[in-house]
Amino acid sequence: MTKKLPKIINIFIMIFLFSLFIIYPLYFRHDYYDMVYAKYDLFKIIYRVFIPGMSILSILYLIKNRKNIKLSVLSSKITKTDMFMLAYLITCLLSYAFSFHKDTSFFGTSGWYMGLVTQIVMILFYFFLSIWFSDNKHIWWIITASSSIVFILGILQRFNIDILSMQEGFSNYGKLENHLKNLYISTLGQSTWHSSYLCIILSIAMACFFLKNKYNTTTLKQKTWSLLWGLFLSICFCALVIQNSDSGFVALLGMFLVLFFVSFNSNEYFKRFLEIIIICLASWKFIGILQVIFKDNAFDIGGISTFCTQNIIPFILLIFMIILYSMFSLAIKNNKFDIKKFTIFRNIIFILIPISIIVLIIVMYLVTTGKIDNTFLNEISYLNFNNSWGSDRGFIWKFSMNMFNDYSIGKKLFGCGPDAFAFEAYNYNPILLQSYLVEPEYIGEKLTVLACAHNEWLNHLINFGIVGAISYIGIFLSAFVIFIKNYKKHPLILGGAIAIIAYMMHNFFCYQQILSTPIIFVIIGIGIAIIRNIKRKEENRSIDENV
C-alpha cells in the first residue's frame, strides 16, 4: 500500500488537472447569461472532490511513512513562496475575522466568488501540487488541448461564426445585442476573462517552444515539437489580437521582456526568441488579411488590435525580423556570432525600462494637469489620467485610494474582508458611486455592482490591507525569482516565470476571478514541485556517487 500511494496520488492529481484545464474552460450553461455561475458551480465540484481526496491521501501517506519523515529535513525544503503563501493564508483568516461583511466575505460577492473560501482553496491547490506533483509527459497536452478549442471558437466568433450559438441567446433575455458582442468571447464570457486565461496559457506555449531541445533528443522530435507548439502559438497570438482587451498587449510585453532577458544566454535561445516574434507578427498579419477578405463579417475591434492587424508598421517590423533572423541564422551557422558577448545591450534595455516608466508617469502628470497643452501628446488618451481613463479606471482607482486613506489603522493593515470591496465602497460614498458609475441594479435575478478596484493589487490593498497585499504580491515575486534561477531545467519552470509576469501586468488593469487565478496558483505549485523533484534527484545522484 505504501508503494502504491504515490501512484494513486499522481493519478488523482492528473484527474484534477484534466478537470481544471480541459473541462473547466469549455464548460458553460445558458450561453453567456449564466457563464460565471456555471463556472463557479463546476469549480466547487472540482475543489470539493480534490481537496478532501488529497487530504485523505496525504494523511495516509504520512501515517504509513511516519518513521521515515524528519521535520528537520522537511523544514529545509520550505521555500520563500511557501512562507508567503502561509502568511497570505493567515492574513485572509484575520481579514475575515475583523471584517464587518462576514456574510459576503465568506464565499464572496455574487458573480465573483473570490471570498475566504476561494482564497483558501487556491492556497491548498498550491500546497498539494507543490508537494505531490510528479512530472508527467501528458501535462503539456492537458494544459493546451482544451485551450486551443477555446481560442479557435473565439477567433471564429470575431468573424461572426458562432458555432455554439453563444451570442444568439442570452437566456431569457433574448439575443445578445451587437454592441455587446465585442465584450464576450468563446466559452469564457467576458473578454477580460479570456485575456487573463490566454496570457497564462500563451506563457506556457512560449516556454515550450523556446526550450524545445531540452527534452527532444532526435531531429524528428524537435521538428514535430516545434511544429505543434508553433501552430499553437499562432492560434494564441491570433486570439490575443482579436479578443478586444488592451490588457492582453500589456501582458504580452511582459512575456517578451522575460524571453528577451533569458535569450542572451545562448545563440539557440536568441534564435527561438526571434522565431516567436515572427510567429506573433505573422499571425497578426494573417488575421488582418482575413479581416479584409471577410470585411462584412469581421468585428470592428478598433484600438491597438486594429493597429496590429491593419497598420503597415507591424508588417514592416515582420519583414525586418525575418531579415534579421536570416542573417543571425547564417552568422551562427558559420560560427561568426556569439550573443553572449552582447549581454550589455540587454542590460541597457533593462536599465531603460524603469527610466521609461518614470518618464511616462511624469508626462501623464503634466498632460493630466494641463501643464502640457496643445501638443500631439494631448491627443493620446492614455496620457490623460482623468476619471474616464481606462474605461473609468481613473475614477475607480482614485475612489479606491481615497477610501483606503480614510481606513482606520486596523483596516489599513488587514482590509475590509475578502471580496468585500463592493459593500465597503457603497457604504463609503454611495452618492458619488451612483452619480458617476451605476447604481446597484438587477439584471434578472442577478445584482450588478462595482465589485472590485479593477486592479488586482490595489483591490488586495482594499480587501486585505497592507499585510495582505505584501504577502500576496510576495507569492508571485518570490516564485518568479525561484523560477528564473532554474528556468533551464524544465519548460514549465520558464513557463511559470513568464506566466507570473504576464498575470501581474495583465491584472494591473483587471482582477481576481475564478478561472485564471486558481490556474496561476496551480502553475506556480507545479513549478515549485518540479524544482523540488529535480533537486531531490540531484541530491540522490550525489549520494550515490559518494557511496
Side-chain angles (χ1 to χ4, degrees):
M1 181 64 179
T2 303
K3 293 181 179 180
K4 290 182 179 179
L5 263 178
K7 292 182 179 180
I8 295 172
I9 291 173
N10 188 47
I11 292 171
F12 194 66
I13 286 176
M14 295 310 293
I15 293 172
F16 162 72
L17 294 176
F18 182 90
S19 302
L20 191 69
F21 283 100
I22 292 186
I23 300 175
Y24 192 36
L26 289 172
Y27 180 73
F28 65 92
R29 182 179 65 221
H30 299 157
D31 307 322
Y32 290 125
Y33 176 73
D34 257 351
M35 182 64 73
V36 176
Y37 306 92
K39 296 288 188 191
Y40 182 61
D41 286 343
L42 179 58
F43 181 68
K44 285 190 292 185
I45 293 172
I46 292 172
Y47 78 68
R48 287 175 179 177
V49 172
F50 179 69
I51 290 177
M54 282 301 299
S55 298
I56 292 169
L57 290 170
S58 299
I59 291 170
L60 286 174
Y61 183 85
L62 290 173
I63 293 172
K64 295 287 184 181
N65 293 273
R66 59 187 181 277
K67 294 181 179 179
N68 299 323
I69 296 174
K70 296 180 180 179
L71 291 177
S72 59
V73 175
L74 290 177
S75 62
S76 66
K77 307 294 183 183
I78 295 175
T79 66
K80 290 182 180 179
T81 306
D82 295 334
M83 296 171 67
F84 276 113
M85 198 70 74
L86 286 171
Y88 182 57
L89 173 60
I90 294 169
T91 305
C92 288
L93 294 171
L94 290 173
S95 179
Y96 175 76
F98 297 145
S99 176
F100 293 106
H101 315 288
K102 286 186 173 63
D103 289 343
T104 298
S105 287
F106 191 68
F107 287 110
T109 302
S110 177
W112 296 86
Y113 304 113
M114 297 308 299
L116 177 67
V117 171
T118 302
Q119 304 301 325
I120 293 175
V121 164
M122 295 188 300
I123 292 168
L124 291 175
F125 281 178
Y126 164 80
F127 278 115
F128 281 133
L129 286 163
S130 67
I131 294 169
W132 292 112
F133 177 80
S134 180
D135 196 9
N136 190 297
K137 63 180 180 180
H138 302 298
I139 186 65
W140 318 107
W141 317 121
I142 287 177
I143 290 176
T144 58
S146 176
S147 56
S148 59
I149 298 172
V150 170
F151 300 149
I152 289 171
L153 288 173
I155 294 167
L156 291 175
Q157 274 185 338
R158 291 302 189 240
F159 288 94
N160 223 15
I161 303 173
D162 192 9
I163 293 177
L164 299 179
S165 300
M166 297 286 290
Q167 297 177 333
E168 292 303 313
F170 204 59
S171 189
N172 299 325
Y173 299 91
K175 186 176 179 179
L176 190 64
E177 296 178 19
N178 287 332
H179 72 281
L180 295 176
K181 287 185 177 181
N182 272 353
L183 303 179
Y184 298 89
I185 185 168
S186 192
T187 57
L188 302 182
Q190 291 187 31
S191 56
T192 50
W193 281 47
H194 180 277
S195 180
S196 182
Y197 170 77
L198 168 62
C199 290
I200 296 172
I201 302 300
L202 175 56
S203 299
I204 303 299
M206 280 184 168
C208 289
F209 185 89
F210 188 82
L211 295 177
K212 66 179 183 178
N213 294 335
K214 183 67 179 175
Y215 293 98
N216 297 280
T217 54
T218 66
T219 303
L220 179 60
K221 284 185 177 181
Q222 288 177 12
K223 289 182 178 179
T224 304
W225 181 271
S226 297
L227 178 63
L228 290 174
W229 283 110
L231 178 61
F232 183 69
L233 273 175
S234 182
I235 293 171
C236 291
F237 286 130
C238 288
L240 185 145
V241 80
I242 210 168
Q243 67 185 346
N244 187 31
S245 175
D246 290 351
S247 304
F249 293 101
V250 176
L252 183 64
L253 174 62
M255 297 181 217
F256 277 126
L257 284 175
V258 176
L259 280 183
F260 179 75
F261 178 80
V262 299
S263 66
F264 277 75
N265 287 324
S266 77
N267 285 338
E268 188 65 23
Y269 284 171
F270 195 77
K271 187 178 179 182
R272 296 290 85 78
F273 174 67
L274 295 177
E275 288 172 354
I276 292 173
I277 294 177
I278 291 171
I279 292 171
C280 175
L281 294 172
S283 300
W284 290 354
K285 189 59 187 176
F286 173 70
I287 290 294
I289 293 171
L290 292 181
Q291 288 172 333
V292 172
I293 295 174
F294 303 103
K295 60 181 179 180
D296 293 334
N297 290 328
F299 281 25
D300 182 16
I301 305 296
I304 299 175
S305 295
T306 299
F307 173 83
C308 292
T309 59
Q310 299 296 328
N311 196 281
I312 190 65
I313 294 177
F315 180 66
I316 293 174
L317 184 58
L318 171 61
I319 300 301
F320 171 76
M321 294 306 299
I322 292 173
I323 295 172
L324 177 63
Y325 175 77
S326 301
M327 294 173 61
F328 182 77
S329 299
L330 183 62
I332 61 175
K333 185 178 180 180
N334 296 325
N335 296 319
K336 293 182 178 180
F337 194 87
D338 185 4
I339 195 65
K340 290 181 180 180
K341 295 179 180 179
F342 294 86
T343 52
I344 188 172
F345 173 71
R346 178 194 66 184
N347 297 339
I348 291 172
I349 294 295
F350 278 89
I351 290 172
L352 289 175
I353 289 174
I355 295 174
S356 300
I357 292 173
I358 293 171
V359 171
L360 176 62
I361 293 172
I362 293 172
V363 171
M364 287 183 69
Y365 171 77
L366 295 175
V367 170
T368 303
T369 56
K371 294 179 180 178
I372 291 180
D373 198 13
N374 297 322
T375 68
F376 74 96
L377 294 173
N378 299 93
E379 301 298 320
I380 304 174
S381 60
Y382 285 111
L383 295 179
N384 185 11
F385 191 76
N386 54 23
N387 282 345
S388 60
W389 184 90
S391 300
D392 295 324
R393 280 172 175 80
F395 169 81
I396 296 169
W397 291 0
K398 286 185 279 187
F399 178 90
S400 299
M401 284 307 303
N402 289 334
M403 183 167 65
F404 178 79
N405 288 335
D406 289 339
Y407 269 1
S408 65
I409 296 297
K411 276 190 178 180
K412 277 186 167 71
L413 290 175
F414 298 105
C416 62
D419 206 9
F421 178 95
F423 281 84
E424 191 72 18
Y426 283 96
N427 285 333
Y428 173 68
N429 196 334
I431 295 175
L432 180 59
L433 274 183
Q434 293 167 15
S435 64
Y436 190 80
L437 293 175
V438 63
E439 294 186 25
E441 62 176 347
Y442 282 91
I443 300 177
E445 299 176 352
K446 298 172 174 57
L447 181 64
T448 300
V449 296
L450 175 64
C452 65
H454 287 258
N455 176 315
E456 185 166 323
W457 321 108
L458 175 58
N459 200 65
H460 261 67
L461 187 66
I462 300 296
N463 287 343
F464 299 98
I466 295 172
V467 177
I470 291 174
S471 58
Y472 187 69
I473 294 171
I475 292 170
F476 293 90
L477 294 182
S478 63
F480 175 77
V481 172
I482 294 171
F483 290 169
I484 210 67
K485 288 180 178 179
N486 296 275
Y487 78 89
K488 294 181 181 180
K489 296 178 179 179
H490 197 286
L492 277 181
I493 298 175
L494 176 59
I498 300 170
I500 286 169
I501 294 301
Y503 182 87
M504 293 189 75
M505 292 182 67
H506 184 279
N507 280 23
F508 189 84
F509 304 97
C510 290
Y511 31 73
Q512 274 194 336
Q513 30 92 349
I514 56 168
L515 176 68
S516 300
T517 311
I519 287 177
I520 192 66
F521 270 67
V522 167
I523 293 294
I524 293 173
I526 289 174
I528 295 293
I530 291 172
I531 292 172
R532 280 181 171 142
N533 292 336
I534 292 172
K535 288 184 177 179
R536 189 182 301 117
K537 290 178 181 177
E538 290 174 350
E539 289 173 0
N540 293 337
R541 191 181 302 118
S542 177
I543 292 171
D544 291 339
E545 290 175 354
N546 293 329
V547 171

